[in-house]
Amino acid sequence: MSETVDRPRRYLVRTFGCQMNEHDSERIAGQFEAEGMVPAHDEDDADVIVLNTCCIRENADNRLYGTLGHLKPRKDADPDLQIVVSGCLAQKDRDLVRERAPYVDVVMGTHNVHRAADLVERARREGPLTEILDAAVADDATTFPSALPPRRDQQHAAWVTIQVGCDNSCAFCIVPAVRGAEISRPFLALVDEVRRLADDGVTEVTLLGQNVNSYGRDLTLAERRAGGDGPVRPLFADLLRAAGAVDGIRRVRFTSPHPKDLRPETIAAMAEVPEVCNHLHLPLQSGSDRVLAAMHRGYTAERYLDRLRRARAEIDDLAVTTDIIVGFPGETDDDFARTLEVAAEARYDSAYTFIYSPRPGTEAATMTDVEVPADVIAERFERLRVVVERTAVERHAARVGRVEEVTVEGPSRKDPSVLTGRTSQNKLVHFASERPLRVGTYVTVAVTGAASHHLRGDLMDVVAPARHRTRIPVASA
Ligand code: SAH
Ligand code: SF4
Ligand code: F3S
């Protein structure tokens, strides 16, 4: 029998977006593997290529169309190759994807990730197709990414989607338009899932949602009670406590909490549950009250700083990171000066800083009369980078001399003789190890050096071995 008839089909999923998008990619890969497909080594070797897209900023759009252009010669040469465009940009652009790249086989949205394998198979038999649903189907397995068996890249760490969509209306943001309304997953289903993951050897879970602090608000009483003895009105804090209490779970992370909904209960759970990591990602967006109001963020700079102060006072050794947008329409020099002040006062460990990008369909995209000129934005962006870098370096330098518990994540990309891992504060640590250490092993590292984005150190002891089984590679030919 010839190899082409016999060998399993190979897939490649490229992720362009955030953790939710990455988690969706894992679910797509999980379905393909359930159908007997195997991962491809690279694009040239793949029979199915999925581009799981993002549209949060304009360059995310451009990246997709650039990649599609680059794939066209391969598709022309090999009509059996299937190209799938999924994710947020597919949801937003719909027919435009096919107009710009008619050779795409499947266009699918954010609400039908669970159908990826079926759609690929159908397109193989029937030809190109598009399936975009306008809202989530109210069924646990389809709405919530984690409810289907995903193919995880990391075996010791897993994402758990606790809510999908977003009910806020930040003026700059496309997410509610492409991910729909906020839907929380029932409490006990989530706890069960964390237990299943722990049984599988997972020791670290990251709870995912666009606004994790509002978790549970939309759950009906029946859902709240579903399955028995869970809390009647679960809060995000209850989820943190329940996840931390699962046997085998050593670390619980989460992203993102909206500052307006950061409740004292969440801070208390972070402070009291040792498994909950000492890291808070609290997106500021702007330090100017005028701009925050125009963005509809629901807090002032002072309220933000006040919540941060409380979190720092209660949670021992807390690292704080943020997202900031530069050049929101109408942002003046004074507004931006406030952003610099608040960023300096917040003393971030790191910050994702973004140049404002108008997204058609959002409120801010209509504010064209007050656009900030590109050269002004570029100059502000650089000034903000300097302020953030200053506190990041200071806060990293303050770790030198400490002993940190680190989860091994694998060899460093630049130097394979060096291992990288992460601390509870989510800081990357590079350290040498004479013995091989499995990914997912917990070790202690004495921190000897610091840069703005990572720490360096010396390995001390192994605290806990990795618990997961090593995946046995599937023969691909
Ligand atoms: N739900 C999260 C944010 C998800 S989007 C939250 O509210 O915290 C991640 C980040 O992208 C946002 O925090 C924001 O800083 C940035 N972002 C979103 N839309 C943007 C736009 N139109 N231009 C530039 N940055 C944007
Ligand atoms: Fe976007 Fe705001 Fe929702 Fe975050 S909270 S996803 S920024 S609308
Ligand atoms: Fe995430 Fe991008 Fe969609 S940030 S939710 S993949 S628009």
mmCIF file of all heavy atoms in Angstrom, residues 166 168 170 172-173 175-176 210 258 297, ligand 2:
data_model
loop_
_atom_site.group_PDB
_atom_site.id
_atom_site.type_symbol
_atom_site.label_atom_id
_atom_site.label_comp_id
_atom_site.label_asym_id
_atom_site.label_seq_id
_atom_site.Cartn_x
_atom_site.Cartn_y
_atom_site.Cartn_z
ATOM 1 N N CYS A 166 -18.388 38.422 26.930
ATOM 2 C CA CYS A 166 -18.180 39.587 27.800
ATOM 3 C C CYS A 166 -19.388 40.497 27.723
ATOM 4 O O CYS A 166 -19.860 40.813 26.633
ATOM 5 C CB CYS A 166 -16.927 40.343 27.353
ATOM 6 S SG CYS A 166 -16.643 41.791 28.392
ATOM 7 N N ASN A 168 -19.393 43.573 29.112
ATOM 8 C CA ASN A 168 -18.986 44.971 29.216
ATOM 9 C C ASN A 168 -19.016 45.610 27.835
ATOM 10 O O ASN A 168 -19.187 44.935 26.821
ATOM 11 C CB ASN A 168 -17.597 45.075 29.835
ATOM 12 C CG ASN A 168 -17.633 44.676 31.291
ATOM 13 O OD1 ASN A 168 -18.529 45.067 32.020
ATOM 14 N ND2 ASN A 168 -16.667 43.881 31.709
ATOM 15 N N CYS A 170 -16.517 48.171 26.711
ATOM 16 C CA CYS A 170 -15.373 49.076 26.618
ATOM 17 C C CYS A 170 -15.341 49.616 25.188
ATOM 18 O O CYS A 170 -15.431 48.833 24.230
ATOM 19 C CB CYS A 170 -14.084 48.341 26.964
ATOM 20 S SG CYS A 170 -14.158 47.603 28.610
ATOM 21 N N PHE A 172 -13.318 50.668 23.103
ATOM 22 C CA PHE A 172 -12.292 50.319 22.113
ATOM 23 C C PHE A 172 -12.366 48.868 21.661
ATOM 24 O O PHE A 172 -11.673 48.448 20.750
ATOM 25 C CB PHE A 172 -10.892 50.570 22.704
ATOM 26 C CG PHE A 172 -10.694 49.925 24.057
ATOM 27 C CD1 PHE A 172 -10.396 48.575 24.159
ATOM 28 C CD2 PHE A 172 -10.845 50.669 25.231
ATOM 29 C CE1 PHE A 172 -10.245 47.981 25.396
ATOM 30 C CE2 PHE A 172 -10.698 50.074 26.482
ATOM 31 C CZ PHE A 172 -10.397 48.719 26.559
ATOM 32 N N CYS A 173 -13.198 48.038 22.324
ATOM 33 C CA CYS A 173 -12.973 46.593 22.292
ATOM 34 C C CYS A 173 -13.943 45.824 21.404
ATOM 35 O O CYS A 173 -15.157 45.987 21.488
ATOM 36 C CB CYS A 173 -13.046 46.053 23.713
ATOM 37 S SG CYS A 173 -12.617 44.316 23.807
ATOM 38 N N VAL A 175 -14.082 42.462 21.439
ATOM 39 C CA VAL A 175 -14.330 41.122 21.997
ATOM 40 C C VAL A 175 -15.822 40.798 22.173
ATOM 41 O O VAL A 175 -16.281 39.728 21.747
ATOM 42 C CB VAL A 175 -13.544 40.892 23.311
ATOM 43 C CG1 VAL A 175 -13.988 39.615 24.018
ATOM 44 C CG2 VAL A 175 -12.047 40.820 23.026
ATOM 45 N N PRO A 176 -16.644 41.715 22.777
ATOM 46 C CA PRO A 176 -18.059 41.358 22.934
ATOM 47 C C PRO A 176 -18.716 41.047 21.585
ATOM 48 O O PRO A 176 -19.587 40.180 21.509
ATOM 49 C CB PRO A 176 -18.671 42.598 23.582
ATOM 50 C CG PRO A 176 -17.522 43.248 24.284
ATOM 51 C CD PRO A 176 -16.324 43.004 23.409
ATOM 52 N N GLN A 210 -13.043 36.664 30.259
ATOM 53 C CA GLN A 210 -12.717 38.058 29.917
ATOM 54 C C GLN A 210 -12.889 38.947 31.132
ATOM 55 O O GLN A 210 -12.357 40.048 31.185
ATOM 56 C CB GLN A 210 -13.616 38.569 28.790
ATOM 57 C CG GLN A 210 -13.390 37.902 27.451
ATOM 58 C CD GLN A 210 -12.009 38.168 26.881
ATOM 59 O OE1 GLN A 210 -11.221 38.956 27.418
ATOM 60 N NE2 GLN A 210 -11.691 37.500 25.796
ATOM 61 N N HIS A 258 -11.518 42.190 35.940
ATOM 62 C CA HIS A 258 -11.751 43.594 35.589
ATOM 63 C C HIS A 258 -11.621 44.417 36.875
ATOM 64 O O HIS A 258 -12.228 44.050 37.894
ATOM 65 C CB HIS A 258 -13.153 43.731 35.004
ATOM 66 C CG HIS A 258 -13.376 45.029 34.313
ATOM 67 N ND1 HIS A 258 -13.316 46.222 34.970
ATOM 68 C CD2 HIS A 258 -13.644 45.316 33.028
ATOM 69 C CE1 HIS A 258 -13.544 47.197 34.109
ATOM 70 N NE2 HIS A 258 -13.743 46.670 32.921
ATOM 71 N N ARG A 297 -14.921 52.277 31.328
ATOM 72 C CA ARG A 297 -14.270 51.234 32.125
ATOM 73 C C ARG A 297 -14.896 51.073 33.517
ATOM 74 O O ARG A 297 -14.656 50.076 34.186
ATOM 75 C CB ARG A 297 -12.767 51.548 32.269
ATOM 76 C CG ARG A 297 -11.985 51.312 31.006
ATOM 77 C CD ARG A 297 -11.910 49.845 30.648
ATOM 78 N NE ARG A 297 -11.043 49.081 31.527
ATOM 79 C CZ ARG A 297 -10.830 47.769 31.401
ATOM 80 N NH1 ARG A 297 -11.431 47.077 30.445
ATOM 81 N NH2 ARG A 297 -10.039 47.141 32.231
HETATM 82 FE FE1 SF4 B 2 -13.097 43.975 26.027
HETATM 83 FE FE2 SF4 B 2 -13.747 45.400 28.140
HETATM 84 FE FE3 SF4 B 2 -14.803 42.988 27.795
HETATM 85 FE FE4 SF4 B 2 -12.238 43.225 28.406
HETATM 86 S S1 SF4 B 2 -13.952 43.829 29.715
HETATM 87 S S2 SF4 B 2 -13.117 41.909 26.815
HETATM 88 S S3 SF4 B 2 -11.665 45.088 27.346
HETATM 89 S S4 SF4 B 2 -15.164 44.783 26.507
#
